[in-house]
Amino acid sequence: MLYPSILVLLGVVALIWAYFQQRKRDAMLATPTRTCAEIAEYDQPVTCEVKGTAGPGPQGPVKAPFSGQPCVWHRTKVTVRYEHHERRDGRTVTTTRERTVHDQTYGAPFSVRDTTGEIIVIHGGRSVDHVTKSLSHFERAGTDVDLFGLRLRVNLSNVKGHQYEEWLIPAGQPMYVLGGAAAENGRLVMREPAEGPFLISTRSEEALSAALRIRFLTGYILGGAVIVGGLIWLVVDLING
């Protein structure tokens, strides 16, 4: 009964994930869009949507670590690929595995500018939806040696190499942000709201809403189907057991 129970659990996880995707979309539909000029008129923090283009934050423009491209936000990831050896049935079995050794998001704020002004997005390293992958490069492990005119790579370890990946947001990228906005120390700031989701995306509001709808419908359908399948399997096991 272990496997059908795991199947039911996976279905429940899918339903929970779908529920949170639906909550994000519901929040988008219920939240008004405000310009920077309109936000500046509020005396208290307000939860709203902002649409504009990405620009540097107070720290100025930055460069992505791997590609060196100018940007306002970046994420870098390094995955090591290695050979794993283990004994099975009296023989050594070798498999290739991967392990993430670095995954970091640039945490400094960036700005979103519209025709009326700009607002600083304080994201604290939060992930951003639908960002551009600027680099994906696999570097083989080992050392190049010249042997009798032949150039060979010598590797005496079980490490096969490293996969380097990078994502970034360039200046001028259209942005959609939903969060809590307020004036702080003479400038407009947007951060995680007191209630509800904090959404940052390079998609338009319409495209993000459509993507979230597909996600939660898929999650509900698959989660429900997996739960039903697991329960049927469990009943059959009980009957035959």
Side-chain angles (χ1 to χ4, degrees), residues 104-171:
Q104 186 173 19
T105 299
Y106 183 65
F110 61 86
S111 66
V112 172
R113 301 170 179 173
D114 62 18
T115 57
T116 68
E118 74 171 15
I119 188 166
I120 304 300
V121 180
I122 301 179
H123 54 86
R126 179 179 294 269
S127 62
V128 177
D129 171 68
H130 205 251
V131 288
T132 300
K133 177 175 280 192
S134 52
L135 182 140
S136 180
H137 171 70
F138 182 75
E139 184 73 28
R140 290 193 303 148
T143 303
D144 287 330
V145 297
D146 196 329
L147 184 64
F148 305 112
L150 297 176
R151 192 165 186 81
L152 305 173
R153 179 166 287 262
V154 178
N155 182 16
L156 301 179
S157 73
N158 69 328
V159 175
K160 302 182 72 172
H162 294 80
Q163 181 75 33
Y164 295 87
E165 296 174 280
E166 178 186 88
W167 298 261
L168 57 79
I169 299 176

Side-chain angles (χ1 to χ4, degrees), residues 4-56:
S5 299
I6 293 176
L7 203 60
V8 172
L9 180 60
L10 290 175
V12 171
V13 171
L15 292 182
I16 294 174
W17 176 83
Y19 168 73
F20 281 104
Q21 302 307 305
Q22 184 177 13
R23 277 192 60 194
K24 291 179 182 179
R25 185 171 184 269
D26 290 344
M28 291 179 63
L29 297 176
T31 304
T33 302
R34 296 285 183 260
T35 65
C36 292
E38 290 172 334
I39 294 171
E41 296 177 357
Y42 285 87
D43 295 328
Q44 300 295 325
V46 56
T47 299
C48 63
E49 302 168 336
V50 171
K51 302 173 185 178
T53 57

Side-chain angles (χ1 to χ4, degrees), residues 83-99:
E83 292 182 343
H84 176 76
H85 309 285
E86 60 180 324
R87 298 287 294 179
R88 294 181 188 172
D89 301 325
R91 62 190 182 92
T92 300
V93 177
T94 301
T95 56
T96 299
R97 298 188 177 184
E98 293 185 347
R99 182 178 73 253

Side-chain angles (χ1 to χ4, degrees), residues 205-229:
E205 180 180 7
E206 296 74 20
L208 179 57
S209 177
L212 289 172
R213 185 174 186 273
I214 292 173
R215 290 178 195 173
F216 77 71
L217 288 177
T218 302
Y220 283 139
I221 293 171
L222 290 180
V226 169
I227 290 174
V228 171

